[in-house]
Amino acid sequence: MKTIQIGKLQFNLDACKKMTKKEFFKIHSSICEKHNIDCEYAYEKVSGKKTTSNKD
Amino acid sequence: MAQECNCDTGLFNLQPSSCVTTPGITRKFVFVEYLKANGTVNGVDLSAPFGEAEIDALLANSDKTLRWFLSDRFKNFVTDRADPNFETVDNENLYVSQGTRTMSGNFYAAGADLAAKLDGNRCVELGVFMIDSANGINGIVNRDLFLDPIRLNKETFWSKINFPTEANRFNVAFSTEWDRIVLDGDIRTLGYSDHQTDLLNKVGLIDVLARFGVANSATEIAIDLYDVDGSAAGDAFTGLLVGDFTVFNETTGLPVVASAAVEAPNGTYTIEMNIAQTAGDILTVTATQAGFDFSQTTNEKITAI
């Protein structure tokens, strides 16, 4: 299983890549917020899709 | 099992071969369930390769009926067989049966919880391989090319803790008896040169337990993992990654994919699941890490919300 660590959070890349952005946010926005992680940034990292212009 | 006497026995040649192997001082035990599921004795097949790879696999076997439960080192090992039972006939003491062999020792690097685990040995038909100071594996040979465990009388197994005093350290003492059918003359040693494994420096699996399992949402659960170390609170089990976890929906009978996980504080894991679970479903969490046994974490049931 491929994983990625963002802050304290570890994401399962295989599982997250199968999610739409909406699904990813629905599941992870709460825990991202709790651990001060920008969920938009996390989604970009796990999906490999650039969704904003001023990240990275 | 060798017979003490039968119609075919007579006097034996008593001269040993030029090289004699004898057991060393027992330092550790390997407990095993005495019988396999198929009814055969849970012994070592000496006709097949048996080295460190095979021993490591036995120590970590997920099937507890086949696993080698390796103890830590103990001290004060004593074993002795009581005098035989005699019947006195016409003032002659006639041999009737062998006396019982007991063995005992003390674990010094253990918490009181070890006593509870050792007492659990009364619950299964068990055998033991005695690991000696030269890494010899001592068991019983009573069938060709098998080293079988020494069968114990499970009902005789007991342990106790000895509280420390000004003169003595804390320790866990144990005692047990061999099964009455085991004969001293059937003891054999599988030497280090035969298995090439430093069992004295191997460790058995460590139990990891779970508590405070809770669902925070339809897609999020949290659970505390710890190992028992003799302290009241246990020792937080740290360092697991999202890929180490397996979440299982016991209600549907289906595994659930963990999409993310975080450990905060130490030993407390919050796990995100890729699909919302139905409220009321029962979820369990287990994990994988070499050297540890997580099978008891599934005793902690989490009700989905």
Side-chain angles (χ1 to χ4, degrees), chain B residues 10 38 54 56 62 75 90 95 120-121 136 153 168 171 185 230 233 253 262:
Chain B
N38 63 9
E54 288 74 22
D56 284 344
S62 58
K75 299 183 184 299
D90 289 342
Y95 180 93
N121 285 356
N153 180 348
N168 298 103
N171 67 83
V262 60

Side-chain angles (χ1 to χ4, degrees), chain A:
Chain A
M1 179 189 295
K2 291 179 181 174
T3 62
I4 187 171
Q5 177 107 19
I6 302 174
K8 284 188 169 182
L9 263 174
Q10 307 141 17
F11 291 91
N12 173 349
L13 280 179
D14 300 332
C16 292
K17 278 187 173 178
K18 291 176 184 168
M19 296 177 187
T20 64
K21 184 175 181 182
K22 186 178 177 183
E23 288 169 336
F24 182 86
F25 271 73
K26 187 177 179 183
I27 292 170
H28 300 106
S29 58
S30 171
I31 199 164
C32 283
E33 185 180 349
K34 188 175 176 183
H35 294 281
N36 296 317
I37 291 167
D38 181 344
C39 214
E40 191 82 34
Y41 174 74
Y43 179 69
E44 286 182 3
K45 284 290 185 185
V46 300
S47 67
K49 298 172 186 169
K50 197 153 184 72
T51 61
T52 57
S53 59
N54 59 349
K55 298 289 180 187
D56 288 340

Side-chain angles (χ1 to χ4, degrees), chain B:
Chain B
M1 202 60 56
Q3 293 179 341
E4 293 177 300
C5 295
N6 63 43
C7 295
D8 298 324
T9 57
L11 296 178
F12 292 95
N13 297 319
L14 302 179
Q15 182 62 44
S17 66
S18 57
C19 179
V20 177
T21 302
T22 58
I25 300 169
T26 301
R27 301 297 190 197
K28 298 176 96 171
F29 284 144
V30 170
F31 292 111
V32 295
E33 292 206 15
Y34 188 72
L35 296 174
K36 295 180 180 179
N38 63 9
T40 60
V41 177
N42 193 6
V44 176
D45 182 353
L46 301 176
S47 68
F50 188 74
E52 186 161 16
E54 288 74 22
I55 289 175
D56 284 344
L58 287 166
L59 293 174
N61 200 318
S62 58
D63 183 348
K64 288 187 170 183
T65 65
L66 300 176
R67 185 182 303 164
W68 275 26
F69 293 87
L70 179 66
S71 79
D72 203 354
R73 293 191 199 193
F74 48 75
K75 299 183 184 299
N76 300 333
F77 179 71
V78 176
T79 181
D80 189 30
R81 189 177 284 284
D83 289 341
N85 301 305
F86 293 97
E87 181 181 3
T88 303
V89 180
D90 289 342
N91 293 320
E92 295 176 333
N93 292 325
L94 306 181
Y95 180 93
V96 177
S97 61
Q98 66 176 351
T100 302
R101 177 172 287 282
T102 60
M103 58 184 189
S104 61
N106 303 74
F107 289 98
Y108 280 84
D113 55 287
L114 180 64
K117 290 181 176 180
L118 289 171
D119 284 343
N121 285 356
R122 282 196 298 273
C123 301
V124 291
E125 294 295 340
L126 79 161
V128 67
F129 293 107
M130 299 161 69
I131 310 302
D132 67 33
S133 51
N135 267 307
I137 302 173
N138 296 283
I140 294 287
V141 168
N142 56 27
R143 50 183 179 147
D144 289 338
L145 284 178
F146 275 91
L147 183 71
D148 289 333
I150 301 163
R151 190 168 194 163
L152 300 178
N153 180 348
K154 65 174 185 171
E155 303 295 342
T156 64
F157 212 108
W158 61 267
S159 66
K160 66 176 181 179
I161 61 170
N162 291 317
F163 278 89
T165 66
E166 298 296 339
N168 298 103
R169 299 172 69 165
F170 176 89
N171 67 83
V172 177
F174 69 90
S175 178
T176 188
E177 293 177 5
W178 291 13
D179 191 279
R180 291 296 298 269
I181 64 171
V182 179
L183 303 177
D184 287 359
D186 286 339
I187 290 287
R188 297 290 186 275
T189 303
L190 189 65
Y192 177 81
S193 59
D194 296 318
H195 59 78
Q196 300 277 317
T197 307
D198 184 6
L199 274 159
L200 296 176
N201 286 307
K202 290 274 183 194
V203 291
L205 295 182
I206 297 171
D207 286 323
V208 178
L209 308 179
R211 62 190 169 198
F212 305 136
V214 65
N216 297 326
S217 71
T219 58
E220 183 180 290
I221 56 177
I223 196 164
D224 269 19
L225 299 182
Y226 66 103
D227 51 53
V228 177
D229 61 355
S231 68
D235 190 24
F237 189 84
T238 64
L240 290 176
L241 305 174
V242 62
D244 298 326
F245 288 106
T246 302
V247 182
F248 194 76
N249 186 322
E250 304 243 353
T251 307
T252 63
L254 297 172
V256 182
V257 175
S259 63
V262 60
E263 180 184 5
N266 282 352
T268 297
Y269 295 90
T270 301
I271 301 167
E272 305 297 323
M273 299 170 287
N274 70 332
I275 296 172
Q277 302 301 299
T278 304
D281 281 5
I282 301 299
L283 308 173
T284 56
V285 176
T286 186
T288 306
Q289 189 162 107
F292 296 90
D293 182 357
F294 291 85
S295 60
Q296 294 181 73
T297 63
T298 57
N299 294 335
E300 181 71 4
K301 309 294 182 190
I302 302 170
T303 304
I305 59 173

